[in-house]
Amino acid sequence: MASVTRETERKYEAPAAAEETDGPDAAASGALLDALARTEGVARVTGRGVEELDATYFDTDDGRLAAARTTLRRRTGGHDAGWHLKLPVPTDGDARDELHAPLADTLPADLARLLRSRTRDAPLGPVLRLRTTRRRHTLHGADGTLLAEAATDTVRAERLDGAPGGLAGATTAWREIEIELAEGAPASLLDRIEERLTAAGIHRSKDRSKFARALTDTGPLPETWPAPDPAPAPGTAGAEVLAHLARWHRALVALDTDVRRDLPDSVHQLRVATRRLRGAFKTYRKVLDRAVTDPVGEELKWLAGELAPARDNEVLTARLAHLLDTTDPALVLGPAPARLRLHSTPRAAEARDRARAALDSPRHLALLTALARLATDPPLRPAAHRPAREVLPAALARDHRRLAARLDHALALPPGPGRDHALHQARKAAKRARYAAEAARPALGKPAKRHRKRVKAVQQLLGVHQDSVVAREALRQLAVEAHGAGESAFTWGLLYGTEQSRAEAAERELPEVWEKVRDEGPPRPGG
């Protein structure tokens, strides 16, 4: 199994002195070492010698990894020879997750699986060879703690492929400085180092990676997300809707990998991405041809369904564990925490296996391919070419009417299972209306933002109610299991009552919150 590290680094142009001499010595001394040593918090800079690195970078013929800001290389030499997969971290532009697998002739299977959403099983081939002479220095605090590593690299790159846009055999060379934070070091250290480097005339590189720079210098592979051709004019409904779809398409591709890595909250976020895409297909059916998008939407629904058990078990277990933790210990009778673990653990394992099986399936691969096709060849209808401020409000109004019909129907029903089901259906409509407002916000501005906020308040109350419905069913099952094992079921009954009270409170509050949303309504055309 590959090991994982969070790599937080910045790259800088080598100082001018380095351009006047062979080898990295000039760049690794003088102004650079002085700047590093003078950085606040750095007590010692220690030389670690020179490494000779030889790396081959891989991609598909049409540059799918480069487009997704993903780097795959096989490197020999140095202290970390092997296969390296680098994935972007959306919340931190300086950080990437680096997955390392032992050196082998072929790509390890566990790394190949992580790349599937990006490559869609297209063959990977060698794109670039980078040979690097690296002089390493480590930065330490007063107590000897490792803070960062500074590497001064002389890089020689050779293009190995000839398409698209590249010239096989083309070469380039440059020198650069790389500062990488050690694990546990404060992120602010990078800023302090940069202040000293800037004062010494050493400036940030415009290239985010060696791979990106070498591609640029030798004839780049595509490095932008696939765009529609031809693209609708800016400001049109088509441009706004396609931008929204592209955002969540990118998220779905990245989150596929996160789920395979079992990262926290990844299943939830992947389900959100499927819902937002599917919701946009339905909401903006005047912009996109439903004959094309409906089949894709059904596949997104299938994927969300395969992910649902993992997410539902995760949420439910956390909710019930919190209830137990916040209950007076004198009222927790019997081995309740152990009973909860016994109830949830096998369900969690089964749900994770189901989710991973879905991601490995041919059906999921076909969905990824269909989404990629929509990105480059969207089925635009005539309304897509009209101004967004004219078209999008009508779509929001349809979703608002749908929500109103469902919620008014639910509120008119007497308490009981029928009302619970109707409120759950209203919750789905509220989510769709909220997502539609978020998609329209860039074009409609503050009115769409306000509408989203109001609908979200309704959705949250409906969510509290539905979560209570699900929790109460689980609590009833836990009581049955406890009783069958000869344990006290008192605590589960107590928690059942707590959840029922929460649901009733949400139902009492809902009409007042909904009245404000219904009366205000969504943004109006031209508003």
Side-chain angles (χ1 to χ4, degrees):
M1 189 64 168
S3 60
V4 185
T5 58
R6 175 63 56 89
E7 174 189 84
T8 304
E9 66 179 23
R10 294 179 186 176
K11 295 183 183 296
Y12 299 86
E13 301 290 343
E19 303 298 335
E20 300 168 2
T21 183
D22 293 329
D25 290 338
S29 59
L32 172 62
L33 290 182
D34 182 65
L36 296 176
R38 291 163 61 87
T39 299
E40 179 186 353
V42 176
R44 187 176 81 253
V45 180
T46 303
R48 298 297 180 185
V50 177
E51 296 178 338
E52 296 294 337
L53 311 175
D54 192 340
T56 300
Y57 289 75
F58 294 81
D59 207 334
T60 62
D61 283 347
D62 53 357
R64 295 177 187 181
L65 297 188
R69 297 186 60 189
T70 299
T71 302
L72 175 67
R73 72 187 178 203
R74 180 184 183 275
R75 190 163 77 183
T76 59
H79 63 286
D80 61 348
W83 286 91
H84 299 172
L85 172 60
K86 295 190 177 186
L87 302 169
V89 177
T91 56
D92 187 346
D94 291 326
R96 288 193 292 177
D97 279 348
E98 180 173 328
L99 288 81
H100 179 265
L103 193 63
D105 290 338
T106 58
L107 178 64
D110 54 344
L111 293 187
R113 281 193 293 271
L114 295 180
L115 288 169
R116 192 172 189 239
S117 66
R118 291 162 168 81
T119 65
R120 304 191 299 280
D121 280 358
L124 289 163
V127 175
L128 285 165
R129 182 185 183 189
L130 266 64
R131 286 169 289 176
T132 302
T133 300
R134 167 168 292 178
R135 182 173 293 274
R136 298 171 57 221
H137 287 76
T138 51
L139 283 60
H140 302 266
D143 61 355
T145 301
L146 177 64
L147 299 175
E149 178 175 313
T152 308
D153 294 340
T154 299
V155 186
R156 301 168 301 283
E158 179 186 3
R159 189 66 174 258
L160 300 179
D161 74 320
L167 179 62
T171 61
T172 186
W174 70 91
R175 293 185 175 95
E176 69 179 30
I177 296 165
E178 184 176 287
I179 309 294
E180 180 177 347
L181 280 184
E183 184 177 358
S188 59
L189 178 61
L190 278 181
D191 293 332
R192 297 200 300 271
I193 291 174
E194 183 157 316
E195 288 178 5
R196 288 294 183 182
L197 294 181
T198 301
I202 301 172
H203 301 288
R204 186 91 74 96
S205 172
K206 66 180 184 297
D207 298 297
R208 65 176 181 266
S209 69
K210 291 180 175 64
F211 182 56
R213 177 164 182 169
L215 284 179
T216 300
D217 289 353
T218 60
L221 288 170
E223 286 196 86
T224 57
W225 195 258
D229 183 22
T236 60
E240 297 296 332
V241 171
L242 292 181
H244 177 76
L245 293 178
R247 174 189 174 188
W248 290 104
H249 180 196
R250 285 193 296 269
L252 186 145
V253 167
L255 288 162
D256 174 295
T257 301
D258 290 352
V259 171
R260 294 174 189 274
R261 295 172 60 195
D262 204 21
L263 295 186
D265 203 40
S266 57
V267 173
H268 173 218
Q269 294 302 326
L270 181 53
R271 287 188 76 201
V272 168
T274 64
R275 287 193 186 116
R276 289 177 185 269
L277 288 166
R278 184 166 172 254
F281 292 158
K282 290 180 175 293
T283 295
Y284 297 111
R285 58 185 183 270
K286 299 293 185 181
V287 175
L288 299 170
D289 186 352
R290 290 188 64 179
V292 177
T293 60
D294 275 0
V296 182
E298 285 303 306
E299 293 306 286
L300 288 166
K301 181 180 180 180
W302 161 79
L303 177 59
E306 295 302 295
L307 298 170
R311 173 57 181 169
D312 293 347
N313 186 76
E314 178 182 77
V315 171
L316 180 61
T317 301
R319 185 182 184 95
L320 299 184
H322 177 72
L323 280 173
L324 284 174
D325 290 343
T326 55
T327 297
D328 184 345
L331 300 178
V332 180
L333 305 184
R339 170 58 53 193
L340 177 58
R341 288 192 297 272
L342 190 63
H343 177 86
S344 63
T345 300
R347 289 171 171 80
E350 182 180 346
R352 283 195 300 270
D353 289 345
R354 177 175 171 179
R356 288 169 181 157
L359 296 184
D360 285 335
S361 68
R363 188 171 181 177
H364 180 52
L365 183 62
L367 170 60
L368 292 169
T369 301
L371 288 170
R373 189 179 302 117
L374 279 177
T376 56
D377 187 21
L380 298 177
R381 300 188 64 194
H385 304 287
R386 291 169 50 200
R389 296 182 67 86
E390 295 179 5
V391 176
L392 302 192
L396 299 189
R398 283 193 298 272
D399 279 354
H400 184 73
R401 291 192 296 270
R402 179 171 174 267
L403 170 59
R406 289 193 179 187
L407 193 46
D408 289 343
H409 167 69
L411 292 175
L413 294 174
R419 190 183 205 197
D420 291 343
H421 176 74
L423 287 171
H424 181 45
Q425 296 304 111
R427 182 193 183 196
K428 294 179 181 178
K431 279 188 178 181
R432 178 164 146 185
R434 172 192 162 194
Y435 294 161
E438 289 177 356
R441 181 180 172 184
L444 304 184
K446 289 183 178 180
K449 180 181 179 180
R450 287 194 300 269
H451 183 61
R452 171 200 171 277
K453 184 178 180 180
R454 291 191 295 266
V455 172
K456 183 179 180 181
V458 173
Q459 178 200 324
Q460 287 176 330
L461 280 175
L462 291 168
V464 169
H465 181 273
Q466 176 61 18
D467 288 347
S468 176
V469 171
V470 174
R472 278 180 280 157
E473 176 55 31
L475 288 165
R476 189 193 67 81
Q477 182 61 37
L478 281 160
V480 170
E481 293 173 4
H483 179 75
E487 302 164 5
S488 172
F490 171 83
T491 300
W492 306 118
L494 178 69
L495 299 185
Y496 188 102
T498 299
E499 283 292 348
Q500 188 166 8
S501 295
R502 287 182 177 177
E504 291 169 352
E507 287 192 58
R508 287 194 300 270
E509 186 180 355
L510 183 59
E512 181 179 353
V513 175
W514 166 235
E515 185 177 359
K516 294 177 182 178
V517 178
R518 182 177 53 195
D519 291 346
E520 183 70 21
R524 292 166 176 77

